[in-house]
Amino acid sequence: VCMSELRFTEDHEWLRAEADGSITVGITAFAQNALGDVVFVQLPELQVYDKGAEAATVESVKAASGVYMPLDGTVLEVNPALDDCPELVNEDPLGEGWFFRFKPTDASAVSKLLDQDAYDRLIKANAQA
């Protein structure tokens, strides 16, 4: 995964634009590290979600955490591997541990999200807070 292609949210989700115009979403290494061992993932329904809506839930040995819809859009596909292997989120958060793909209502909105440098600054700021 080329990090420069990824965009990030302040909720620690990553987004990757795919060739077909869809966007793949997962949680960042920082987020899965904070959660600890993931034991269950509740994936979203194939439907329209508004930006900020809770689309998925990740449960770890420590806590349950929402995964939020980064932009308005329609969920097209979920990662079926997470049903049997939720630990993929820990093992490969930016690859095989993806959560869902969606078609954004406004494709240009993706570019307004955080790039890698901005996300790194956010993590540093949170660590110092």
Side-chain angles (χ1 to χ4, degrees), residues 38 40-44 54-60 63-68 99:
V38 173
F40 176 75
V41 177
Q42 168 117 32
L43 293 165
E54 189 170 307
T57 307
V58 190
E59 290 182 22
S60 73
S65 182
V67 178
Y68 301 97
F99 282 60

Side-chain angles (χ1 to χ4, degrees), residues 32-53:
Q32 67 82 21
N33 196 36
L35 279 168
D37 292 336
V38 173
V39 294
F40 176 75
V41 177
Q42 168 117 32
L43 293 165
E45 300 294 319
L46 302 184
Q47 66 182 41
V48 175
Y49 286 88
D50 292 332
K51 177 180 177 177

Side-chain angles (χ1 to χ4, degrees), residues 38-119:
V38 173
V39 294
F40 176 75
V41 177
Q42 168 117 32
L43 293 165
E45 300 294 319
L46 302 184
Q47 66 182 41
V48 175
Y49 286 88
D50 292 332
K51 177 180 177 177
E54 189 170 307
T57 307
V58 190
E59 290 182 22
S60 73
V61 290
K62 292 186 196 171
S65 182
V67 178
Y68 301 97
M69 194 68 176
L71 300 166
D72 294 345
T74 305
V75 174
L76 306 172
E77 182 185 359
V78 297
N79 185 352
L82 296 183
D83 285 338
D84 297 325
C85 298
E87 62 274 12
L88 285 171
V89 174
N90 294 121
E91 292 165 7
D92 191 8
L94 299 176
E96 294 301 311
W98 63 277
F99 282 60
F100 60 90
R101 291 200 171 99
F102 77 101
K103 182 167 184 32
T105 306
D106 174 10
S108 69
V110 176
S111 64
K112 298 182 180 89
L113 296 171
L114 303 173
D115 63 14
Q116 183 70 55
D117 289 343
Y119 182 69

Side-chain angles (χ1 to χ4, degrees), residues 1-8 15 29 94 115-116 119-120:
V1 177
C2 176
M3 296 304 272
S4 64
E5 294 172 12
L6 297 178
R7 292 287 173 170
F8 301 89
L15 291 82
L94 299 176
D115 63 14
Q116 183 70 55
Y119 182 69
D120 289 343

